[in-house]
Amino acid sequence: MATFLYRLGRFSFRRRHVIALFWVALLALAGVGAAGAPAAGPTSFSIPGTEAQKAFDLLEERFPGASADGATGRVVFKAPADEKMTDAENKAIVQKTVEELSGGSEVARVTDPYEGGGVSQDGTIAYTSVSYKVSGLELEESSRDALEGAAEDARDAGLTVEIGGDALQAVPHTGAAEVIGIGVAAVVLVITFGSLLAAGMPLLTAIIGVGIGVGTITALAGTLELDSTTPILATMIGLAVGIDYALFVVSRYRAELAEGREREEAAGRAVGTAGSAVVFAGLTVVIALVGLAVVNIPLLTKMGVAAAATVAIAVVIALTLVPALLGYAGRRVRPTGEKSGLLGGRSEKDGNERKPQRPNMGTRWASFVVRRPVAVLLLGVVGLGAAAVPAASLELGLPDDGSQPTSTTQRRAYDLMSEGFGPGFNGPLVVVVDAEGSDDPQAVFQRTSDDIKALDDVVAVAPAAPNKAGDTATITVVPESKPSSVATEDLVHGIRDAGRDITADTGADVLVTGATAMNIDVSQKLNDALVPYLILVVGLAFLLLIVVFRSILVPLKAALGFLLSVLAALGAVVAVFQWGWLSGLMNVEQTGPVMSMMPIFMVGVVFGLAMDYEVFLVTRMREAYVHGEQPSQAVVTGFRHGARVVTAAAVIMIAVFSGFIGSSESMVKMIGFGLAIAVLFDAFVVRMAIVPAVLALLGKKAWWLPKWLDRVLPNVDVEGEGLRTEDDRKDEDRALARA
């Protein structure tokens, strides 16, 4: 592989006009396709195999036109002090609002609070529900404007009015987070390379890669039924790895220049060595993202595949466009250790004398770890173990309006409903009774209602509402507890247990659905998929790393270190978002269950990035060891060449993810914090401390591989052994002799 990539790097350097024209044309093609594509509407959110989804499908079949999966808006009214919502004047305001809301083209139905039990017992709060024919993300902006306009008119008339439900749900947009991340990345790259031009290349190539990836996703969104949220993950991951991969190739190019090689030769060797690491690091990320398909949630699968495609583009760009741009830059990209004149560096005209350089920070740190491996290993493991302790209390759920900031109208509507009717009214359950095969459907409906009323945590059970055929009915159940509580989850399971008894006796199916039940089922499905996903992703990556490092213990150590960092990151997420530690600093207004998608999302994204750092750092150690250095010295050599670059990459990633912590959306805030803290733990504790300590303790055993396996495995030559010339070997022999 190293020889092929070496030739590719030299070709790209030499034929830079062709390579640059190819990528510019591809970017333009993606841009034109995206600009000409129709606006992507979201696909229907489905969770195959869950009871809630089965009930939704049944409702679509037996209640045609009911828009079971349509958006819902809840307008909540509160009377002024010493007044009631039943007062004639306030009642007139509400009825006028209901009339205004009924006129929308996308509105399916609007409830009258005075006819449907929508007034609180004390008479101070009332609500009306607006059901739409389409989902919240498909809702026209004019429908949202009409909803907000009707509420504003009622406010102007003197009532307190807030709006809840998913009708106000907007298509997520990326804000200033990426801009902040790119700004921090630029500063870090300039410090790392000491050159504005060299620092600009990773940024430019990453932006081109993301532009092509996201442009293609947008262009194909209608054809492939991609959700409008799909480009977000592709942008975040593509930007992250795109900067990383280009950074490693440019860094190796400058190191080859420092060895005295000609620029075309340096470009070829940089792609042949660092490029090999890029290929395998990219493969681990692709495996982690495509592996999300095991969860069997179509939306998550599409997001993973789209992000994986963007990562693949970033890999190819690093192997071709980066050496082409290095060819354009010429002598303006300087060898390692030289800065540009703009940043206070010397020009090549200043002479060839160089002052002896003191060991860099990476060398000094690695030397310390090699001398004290046991102490560093224990400190790292104990520290991460302590951070992981809160993960034992992990509670999973999906966010609802109760997790919104108190400044939002959704949260204020949620609180008003809790005040007037109880927290359970924010998440009613819909029980669907399919009595098609029963002799007496009406008796089945009545028995189901009676059995549900006998359960704990039930406030109200509405009368059964059968369809026209009379063989299927819906029963609305209001829990006593809030939607995201454990008690409500227990109630859902209790209704399903009672339903199984009814099925055994009558043959009728009893299914529980609604937003709350769907959230519970999604959480359970994600939780059940976590272990198979871990086995698949870690297992495949383990096999891949055996090929890369030709070792059993090094990949095993990499996988175990990753699991430790993810557990520690989950512990930190639980401590902040569930327990409330440092919640003020993080601006977390409402603690509660951790988003159910968080563990599997963190495993996928962080595993890919963690293996990036592992491959780039340990590959240099492997290279030094294969070229004759002792194991402990190889660790130091790997850090001398790789620590600065890996540190820069990790800081960039942390900056990109931390930008999302400032979001007002609790879900986005949690993802940003979780990914940032996971990269911090993995890069600086696991890869920078635990990895060199373990390798120092293992010595030559770290690189042991059974002879039979050595014969079977393909030789991918990540170390670039095939690129070494006779002069290289003589230089290394003399260096080893001096050492």
Side-chain angles (χ1 to χ4, degrees), residues 386-405:
V389 169
S393 303
L394 178 66
E395 295 178 8
L396 297 177
L398 287 177
D400 54 24
D401 285 348
S403 62
Q404 296 271 9

mmCIF file of all heavy atoms in Angstrom, residues 386-405:
data_model
loop_
_atom_site.group_PDB
_atom_site.id
_atom_site.type_symbol
_atom_site.label_atom_id
_atom_site.label_comp_id
_atom_site.label_asym_id
_atom_site.label_seq_id
_atom_site.Cartn_x
_atom_site.Cartn_y
_atom_site.Cartn_z
ATOM 1 N N ALA A 386 -12.780 6.895 38.036
ATOM 2 C CA ALA A 386 -13.553 7.764 38.925
ATOM 3 C C ALA A 386 -14.567 8.589 38.133
ATOM 4 O O ALA A 386 -15.715 8.778 38.553
ATOM 5 C CB ALA A 386 -12.616 8.680 39.698
ATOM 6 N N ALA A 387 -14.141 9.078 36.956
ATOM 7 C CA ALA A 387 -15.058 9.866 36.122
ATOM 8 C C ALA A 387 -16.200 9.010 35.598
ATOM 9 O O ALA A 387 -17.300 9.519 35.333
ATOM 10 C CB ALA A 387 -14.290 10.492 34.959
ATOM 11 N N ALA A 388 -15.956 7.703 35.464
ATOM 12 C CA ALA A 388 -16.976 6.807 34.909
ATOM 13 C C ALA A 388 -18.017 6.371 35.935
ATOM 14 O O ALA A 388 -19.068 5.835 35.550
ATOM 15 C CB ALA A 388 -16.303 5.566 34.316
ATOM 16 N N VAL A 389 -17.768 6.588 37.224
ATOM 17 C CA VAL A 389 -18.670 6.103 38.274
ATOM 18 C C VAL A 389 -20.118 6.567 38.074
ATOM 19 O O VAL A 389 -21.055 5.767 38.190
ATOM 20 C CB VAL A 389 -18.149 6.512 39.668
ATOM 21 C CG1 VAL A 389 -19.209 6.260 40.739
ATOM 22 C CG2 VAL A 389 -16.880 5.730 40.000
ATOM 23 N N PRO A 390 -20.373 7.847 37.752
ATOM 24 C CA PRO A 390 -21.775 8.270 37.572
ATOM 25 C C PRO A 390 -22.507 7.513 36.463
ATOM 26 O O PRO A 390 -23.737 7.468 36.460
ATOM 27 C CB PRO A 390 -21.656 9.764 37.231
ATOM 28 C CG PRO A 390 -20.347 10.183 37.823
ATOM 29 C CD PRO A 390 -19.449 8.995 37.670
ATOM 30 N N ALA A 391 -21.773 6.913 35.504
ATOM 31 C CA ALA A 391 -22.419 6.199 34.405
ATOM 32 C C ALA A 391 -23.249 5.020 34.911
ATOM 33 O O ALA A 391 -24.175 4.569 34.220
ATOM 34 C CB ALA A 391 -21.378 5.713 33.401
ATOM 35 N N ALA A 392 -22.945 4.528 36.118
ATOM 36 C CA ALA A 392 -23.731 3.428 36.695
ATOM 37 C C ALA A 392 -25.164 3.859 36.978
ATOM 38 O O ALA A 392 -26.059 3.020 37.098
ATOM 39 C CB ALA A 392 -23.062 2.927 37.973
ATOM 40 N N SER A 393 -25.399 5.168 37.099
ATOM 41 C CA SER A 393 -26.752 5.689 37.374
ATOM 42 C C SER A 393 -27.431 6.212 36.121
ATOM 43 O O SER A 393 -28.412 6.960 36.197
ATOM 44 C CB SER A 393 -26.664 6.822 38.405
ATOM 45 O OG SER A 393 -26.049 6.383 39.594
ATOM 46 N N LEU A 394 -26.919 5.845 34.957
ATOM 47 C CA LEU A 394 -27.436 6.366 33.692
ATOM 48 C C LEU A 394 -28.910 6.034 33.500
ATOM 49 O O LEU A 394 -29.325 4.889 33.625
ATOM 50 C CB LEU A 394 -26.622 5.774 32.535
ATOM 51 C CG LEU A 394 -27.046 6.159 31.119
ATOM 52 C CD1 LEU A 394 -26.822 7.647 30.873
ATOM 53 C CD2 LEU A 394 -26.266 5.335 30.090
ATOM 54 N N GLU A 395 -29.707 7.062 33.231
ATOM 55 C CA GLU A 395 -31.114 6.907 32.858
ATOM 56 C C GLU A 395 -31.296 7.482 31.463
ATOM 57 O O GLU A 395 -30.839 8.581 31.179
ATOM 58 C CB GLU A 395 -32.031 7.645 33.841
ATOM 59 C CG GLU A 395 -32.009 7.093 35.258
ATOM 60 C CD GLU A 395 -32.896 7.898 36.198
ATOM 61 O OE1 GLU A 395 -33.636 8.776 35.685
ATOM 62 O OE2 GLU A 395 -32.842 7.669 37.412
ATOM 63 N N LEU A 396 -31.950 6.722 30.594
ATOM 64 C CA LEU A 396 -32.092 7.142 29.209
ATOM 65 C C LEU A 396 -33.518 7.584 28.908
ATOM 66 O O LEU A 396 -34.477 7.058 29.461
ATOM 67 C CB LEU A 396 -31.702 5.997 28.270
ATOM 68 C CG LEU A 396 -30.249 5.520 28.347
ATOM 69 C CD1 LEU A 396 -30.029 4.344 27.408
ATOM 70 C CD2 LEU A 396 -29.281 6.642 28.019
ATOM 71 N N GLY A 397 -33.644 8.545 28.033
ATOM 72 C CA GLY A 397 -34.946 9.039 27.605
ATOM 73 C C GLY A 397 -34.748 9.983 26.438
ATOM 74 O O GLY A 397 -33.622 10.255 26.017
ATOM 75 N N LEU A 398 -35.846 10.481 25.894
ATOM 76 C CA LEU A 398 -35.767 11.466 24.819
ATOM 77 C C LEU A 398 -36.321 12.794 25.327
ATOM 78 O O LEU A 398 -37.273 12.815 26.110
ATOM 79 C CB LEU A 398 -36.547 10.998 23.596
ATOM 80 C CG LEU A 398 -35.893 9.858 22.801
ATOM 81 C CD1 LEU A 398 -36.793 9.421 21.660
ATOM 82 C CD2 LEU A 398 -34.542 10.289 22.257
ATOM 83 N N PRO A 399 -35.735 13.900 24.900
ATOM 84 C CA PRO A 399 -36.159 15.204 25.423
ATOM 85 C C PRO A 399 -37.575 15.558 24.981
ATOM 86 O O PRO A 399 -38.016 15.193 23.894
ATOM 87 C CB PRO A 399 -35.128 16.171 24.818
ATOM 88 C CG PRO A 399 -34.624 15.481 23.594
ATOM 89 C CD PRO A 399 -34.652 14.025 23.900
ATOM 90 N N ASP A 400 -38.291 16.239 25.875
ATOM 91 C CA ASP A 400 -39.598 16.776 25.525
ATOM 92 C C ASP A 400 -39.592 18.259 25.855
ATOM 93 O O ASP A 400 -38.549 18.831 26.157
ATOM 94 C CB ASP A 400 -40.718 16.031 26.268
ATOM 95 C CG ASP A 400 -40.499 16.013 27.779
ATOM 96 O OD1 ASP A 400 -39.795 16.921 28.288
ATOM 97 O OD2 ASP A 400 -41.016 15.111 28.455
ATOM 98 N N ASP A 401 -40.771 18.885 25.789
ATOM 99 C CA ASP A 401 -40.821 20.330 26.037
ATOM 100 C C ASP A 401 -40.380 20.684 27.456
ATOM 101 O O ASP A 401 -39.983 21.814 27.722
ATOM 102 C CB ASP A 401 -42.233 20.861 25.787
ATOM 103 C CG ASP A 401 -42.554 20.955 24.301
ATOM 104 O OD1 ASP A 401 -41.612 20.833 23.491
ATOM 105 O OD2 ASP A 401 -43.735 21.126 23.947
ATOM 106 N N GLY A 402 -40.458 19.713 28.385
ATOM 107 C CA GLY A 402 -40.035 19.985 29.754
ATOM 108 C C GLY A 402 -38.541 20.175 29.899
ATOM 109 O O GLY A 402 -38.078 20.687 30.919
ATOM 110 N N SER A 403 -37.771 19.770 28.898
ATOM 111 C CA SER A 403 -36.323 19.956 28.944
ATOM 112 C C SER A 403 -35.874 21.216 28.214
ATOM 113 O O SER A 403 -34.686 21.513 28.146
ATOM 114 C CB SER A 403 -35.625 18.736 28.332
ATOM 115 O OG SER A 403 -35.985 18.580 26.967
ATOM 116 N N GLN A 404 -36.836 21.958 27.667
ATOM 117 C CA GLN A 404 -36.508 23.208 26.965
ATOM 118 C C GLN A 404 -36.137 24.296 27.973
ATOM 119 O O GLN A 404 -36.546 24.252 29.142
ATOM 120 C CB GLN A 404 -37.717 23.674 26.147
ATOM 121 C CG GLN A 404 -38.127 22.742 25.029
ATOM 122 C CD GLN A 404 -37.400 23.051 23.731
ATOM 123 O OE1 GLN A 404 -36.474 23.854 23.705
ATOM 124 N NE2 GLN A 404 -37.814 22.398 22.671
ATOM 125 N N PRO A 405 -35.371 25.304 27.560
ATOM 126 C CA PRO A 405 -35.093 26.438 28.444
ATOM 127 C C PRO A 405 -36.383 27.151 28.862
ATOM 128 O O PRO A 405 -37.352 27.186 28.094
ATOM 129 C CB PRO A 405 -34.223 27.358 27.565
ATOM 130 C CG PRO A 405 -33.639 26.467 26.523
ATOM 131 C CD PRO A 405 -34.668 25.407 26.261
#
